[in-house]
């Protein structure tokens, strides 16, 4: 039980990668279905709909980034894991990873819905590609905010004397 | 989570680009002659790319093409069966007439129902309704009984028509999809209004109106039946106090004006689905849009073929989905 600190920290890293990854998998899949529908009717729109399909994929990358930073901070990535980390510090790492985990999951799914609408808009009006991207990209703002807060928190925890 | 139909809806929205617009109908009407109008439609991909001389064949192929697409996207037709009920019940009426009257019923059966007309005809002939689906079997049995007991074709017809609307209402409710539920309600209301006005104009009793009118949520059927048993003005007066006051105005002009208003009302109901990215609703709306387009094409081409006044035809053309 004395090694609970590192367990919590690792759980945080895993959650960030897991939940944001799940969100992106659902989102890219959903947008992919819509893109396939459009390409079935008009194969020339492949390039345009592909970009929109990829938008919900970024949350998975952000989750991965948070997991990497956390693993690096707690030493697991470099091979010198801080096994004596206090439980409180471990919980702090876990808490720091949660914004990316939850916002990543939810924003990827919501962004996918906007991307699907954008894909369907492009199928009817290809000249509106830019606007379709903006609508979906607006959701990205919140994933980036969560990413920022998670990065700032994780890097800040390292300097705390606990 | 309810089925999102993302792939199917995306394909349907892409297909909406191929739906005819008001300017296409105007092009048909402005064609030099019937053949040029047919060529224009063929150029728009209407039908199977063949050269048609009969527009009904072209429309049939276009309808089959649409159903082939829908079946490819959603093999289970259940969500759309509400749209097939009118054909099923129409075929039941035709089957009863074919078996129990000497009327010539050739060409009376319609394609596109959920039950093959031959199955309905056989069931009515043998009075064995086991092969019919549940929603049709009970009505078939009672309609045949009414006909044999009263010998009155109209009584039989109103019983079947009412059962049809009740089935549509029930299925609309069961679908859990707002647009299907609203469509069922609107269709029932429009039919009730038409029945009430016809009953009033032909001096029918309140009992007749009550037997003919189907229950719905936005009209009080009892008050409507009461008004119908008096006269048409009473029906209009009743409608003035409902959401359907425009219906009264349309009927006062003519029954065909009312039919046009009713079709436009349905288009108005479904038009929002053009921007709906998920659920079965946009696909349901597409089928209705295609049906409405077919109606407009039929009116335009029959006018062209018979060299009718274009002004008169324009008046009858409904609003289109796109």
């Amino acid at each position: 039980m004395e090694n609970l600190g590192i367990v919590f920290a690792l759980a945080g890293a895993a959650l960030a990668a897991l939940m944001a990854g799940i969100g992106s998998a659902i989102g890219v899949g959903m947008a992919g279905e819509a893109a396939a529908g459009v390409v079935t009717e008009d194969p020339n729109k492949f390039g345009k709909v592909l970009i929109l399909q990829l938008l919900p994929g970024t949350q998975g990358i952000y989750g991965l980034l948070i997991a990497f930073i956390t693993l690096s901070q707690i030493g697991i990535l470099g091979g010198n894991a801080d096994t004596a980390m206090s439980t409180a510090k471990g919980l702090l790492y876990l808490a720091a990873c949660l914004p990316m985990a939850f916002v990543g999951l939810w924003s990827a799914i919501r962004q996918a819905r906007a991307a699907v609408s954008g894909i369907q808009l492009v199928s009817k009006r290809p000249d509106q590609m830019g606007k379709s991207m903006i609508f979906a990209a607006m959701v990205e703002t919140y994933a980036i905010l969560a990413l920022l807060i998670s990065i700032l928190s994780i890097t800040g925890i390292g300097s705390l004397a606990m | 989570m309810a089925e999102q139909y993302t792939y199917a809806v995306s394909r349907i929205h892409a297909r909406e680009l191929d739906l005819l617009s008001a300017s296409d109908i105007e092009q048909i009407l402005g064609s030099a002659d019937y053949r040029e109008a047919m060529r224009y439609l063929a150029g728009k991909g209407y039908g199977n790319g063949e050269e048609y001389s009969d527009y009904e064949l072209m429309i049939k192929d276009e309808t089959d093409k649409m159903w082939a697409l829908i079946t490819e996207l959603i093999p289970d037709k259940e969500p759309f069966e509400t749209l097939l009920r009118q054909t099923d019940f129409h075929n039941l009426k035709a089957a009863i007439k074919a078996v129990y009257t000497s009327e010539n019923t050739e060409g009376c059966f319609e394609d596109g129902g959920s039950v093959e007309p031959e199955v309905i005809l056989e069931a009515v002939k043998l009075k064995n309704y086991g092969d019919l689906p549940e929603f049709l079997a009970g009505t078939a049995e009672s309609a045949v009984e009414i006909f044999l007991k009263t010998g009155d074709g109209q009584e039989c017809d109103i019983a079947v028509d009412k059962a049809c609307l009740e089935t549509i209402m029930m299925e609309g409710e069961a679908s859990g999809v707002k647009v299907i539920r609203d469509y069922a309600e609107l269709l029932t209301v429009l039919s009730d209004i038409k029945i009430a006005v016809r009953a009033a104009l032909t001096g029918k009793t309140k009992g007749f109106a009550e037997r003919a009118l189907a229950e719905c949520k936005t009209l009080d059927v009892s008050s409507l039946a009461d008004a119908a048993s008096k006269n048409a003005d009473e029906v209009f007066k009743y409608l003035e106090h409902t959401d359907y006051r425009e219906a009264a105005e349309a009927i006062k002009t003519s029954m065909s004006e009312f039919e046009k208003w009713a079709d436009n009302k349905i288009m108005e109901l479904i038009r929002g689905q053009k921007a709906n990215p998920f659920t079965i609703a946009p696909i349901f709306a597409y089928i209705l849009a295609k049906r409405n387009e077919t109606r407009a094409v039929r009116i335009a081409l029959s006018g062209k073929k018979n060299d009718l006044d274009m002004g008169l035809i324009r008046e009858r053309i409904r609003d289109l989905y796109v």
Side-chain angles (χ1 to χ4, degrees):
Chain A
M1 292 296 277
E2 66 267 20
N3 293 335
L4 265 182
I6 191 125
V7 173
F8 282 128
L10 188 62
L15 272 179
L18 196 73
M19 291 176 72
I22 289 172
S24 281
I26 294 173
V28 174
M30 198 190 281
E33 279 184 52
V38 172
V39 172
T40 307
E41 296 299 327
D42 183 1
N44 294 326
K45 295 203 173 87
F46 174 71
K48 287 186 169 170
V49 296
L50 182 68
I51 297 168
L52 283 160
Q53 189 206 344
L54 293 176
L55 282 177
T58 51
Q59 283 83 346
I61 300 169
Y62 300 159
L64 181 75
L65 181 65
I66 291 299
F68 267 128
I69 297 172
T70 309
L71 292 178
S72 152
Q73 287 280 318
I74 63 178
I76 288 184
L77 215 54
N80 53 343
D82 180 8
T83 50
M85 185 189 295
S86 69
T87 304
K89 200 169 188 179
L91 283 170
L92 284 177
Y93 276 117
L94 173 62
C97 291
L98 291 185
M100 193 63 251
F102 283 99
V103 179
L105 171 72
W106 196 238
S107 67
I109 295 170
R110 301 314 293 187
Q111 190 173 39
R113 292 180 69 91
V116 167
S117 303
I119 287 167
Q120 291 171 1
L121 169 59
V122 166
S123 77
K124 284 183 181 174
R125 306 187 62 177
D127 56 317
Q128 300 299 313
M129 171 70 187
K131 287 175 191 162
S132 307
M133 279 191 68
I134 290 169
F135 294 140
M138 295 300 273
V139 189
E140 193 77 12
T141 315
Y142 303 96
I144 293 171
L145 293 180
L147 172 70
L148 269 177
I149 212 69
S150 285
I151 289 177
L152 291 174
S153 306
I154 293 163
T155 50
I157 292 166
S159 58
L160 293 177
M162 296 181 88
Chain B
M1 193 190 282
E3 177 67 70
Q4 298 288 287
Y5 299 100
T6 314
Y7 172 79
V9 173
S10 298
R11 279 192 70 182
I12 285 297
H13 282 324
R15 283 285 177 113
E16 283 167 6
L17 287 175
D18 299 331
L19 287 173
L20 298 179
S21 64
S23 66
D24 289 317
I25 298 296
E26 204 46 51
Q27 281 278 349
I28 296 170
L29 295 178
S31 304
D33 54 25
Y34 171 70
R35 288 181 65 129
E36 194 184 305
M38 291 289 278
R39 268 199 300 274
Y40 178 79
L41 275 173
K44 294 290 287 182
Y46 224 74
N48 279 339
E50 298 165 24
E51 202 171 305
Y52 295 89
S53 54
D54 180 357
Y55 67 84
E56 285 296 347
L57 276 179
M58 183 187 238
I59 288 173
K60 187 186 176 303
D61 283 350
E62 184 65 18
T63 307
D64 290 347
K65 205 165 78 180
M66 186 267 293
W67 277 112
L69 170 71
I70 300 296
T71 310
E72 181 196 334
L73 294 175
I74 299 160
D76 176 14
K77 265 189 180 178
E78 201 192 327
F80 311 114
E81 292 210 331
T82 309
L83 292 170
L84 310 178
R85 293 299 171 243
Q86 284 176 300
T87 306
D88 289 332
F89 282 91
H90 166 86
N91 286 340
L92 173 60
K93 287 193 287 187
I96 294 172
K97 282 199 180 80
V99 175
Y100 297 105
T101 70
S102 52
E103 274 181 48
N104 181 13
T105 53
E106 203 185 308
C108 277
F109 289 96
E110 287 177 3
D111 288 331
S114 64
V115 188
E116 289 299 322
E118 296 77 27
V119 175
I120 301 176
L121 188 63
E122 199 61 17
V124 170
K125 208 179 277 176
L126 302 173
K127 287 195 191 172
N128 179 0
Y129 309 103
D131 286 342
L132 295 181
E134 203 181 324
F135 74 88
L136 204 57
T139 308
E141 192 173 359
S142 55
V144 167
E145 254 175 54
I146 290 171
F147 189 81
L148 292 178
K149 211 154 78 179
T150 64
D152 185 343
Q154 196 178 29
E155 280 294 333
C156 173
D157 283 355
I158 62 165
V160 174
D161 287 339
K162 185 175 179 176
C164 175
L165 293 171
E166 284 170 348
T167 306
I168 289 172
M169 280 294 280
M170 205 174 64
E171 289 180 346
E173 279 299 320
S175 72
V177 179
K178 189 177 180 302
V179 79
I180 302 181
R181 207 168 45 230
D182 290 349
Y183 166 75
E185 171 70 18
L186 184 57
L187 192 72
T188 306
V189 165
L190 297 172
S191 303
D192 278 353
I193 293 173
K194 200 156 57 178
I195 292 166
V197 171
R198 283 192 178 143
L201 292 174
T202 51
K204 298 287 182 192
T205 62
K206 188 177 177 186
F208 176 91
E210 279 172 343
R211 284 197 301 282
L213 296 173
E215 282 294 336
C216 54
K217 290 178 199 154
T218 48
L219 285 182
D220 176 11
V221 169
S222 171
S223 304
L224 189 61
D226 195 38
S229 66
K230 292 172 185 161
N231 55 55
D233 283 339
E234 286 296 319
V235 176
F236 300 148
K237 208 183 285 176
Y238 169 73
L239 290 176
E240 283 297 324
H241 299 100
T242 67
D243 297 338
Y244 308 99
R245 64 180 66 88
E246 292 165 20
E249 292 305 314
I251 298 178
K252 279 178 198 167
T253 310
S254 69
M255 216 41 161
S256 72
E257 186 61 28
F258 170 74
E259 305 266 2
K260 181 183 169 180
W261 176 84
D263 286 342
N264 289 348
K265 197 84 184 149
I266 290 174
M267 281 302 105
E268 202 179 288
L269 173 79
I270 61 166
R271 200 161 276 129
Q273 297 307 321
K274 279 194 290 184
N276 181 358
F278 300 105
T279 78
I280 200 86
I283 305 166
F284 185 86
Y286 178 80
I287 299 171
L288 282 174
K290 202 72 191 160
R291 211 180 248 189
N292 191 52
E293 175 192 274
T294 299
R295 209 168 288 151
V297 167
R298 186 175 279 120
I299 292 169
L301 288 178
S302 75
K304 277 273 66 89
K305 192 173 187 180
N306 298 304
D307 228 4
L308 299 180
D309 176 50
M310 287 303 113
L312 274 178
I313 299 171
R314 272 189 192 94
E315 276 173 24
R316 297 200 59 201
I317 299 282
R318 277 85 166 135
D319 293 345
L320 294 167
Y321 189 56
V322 291

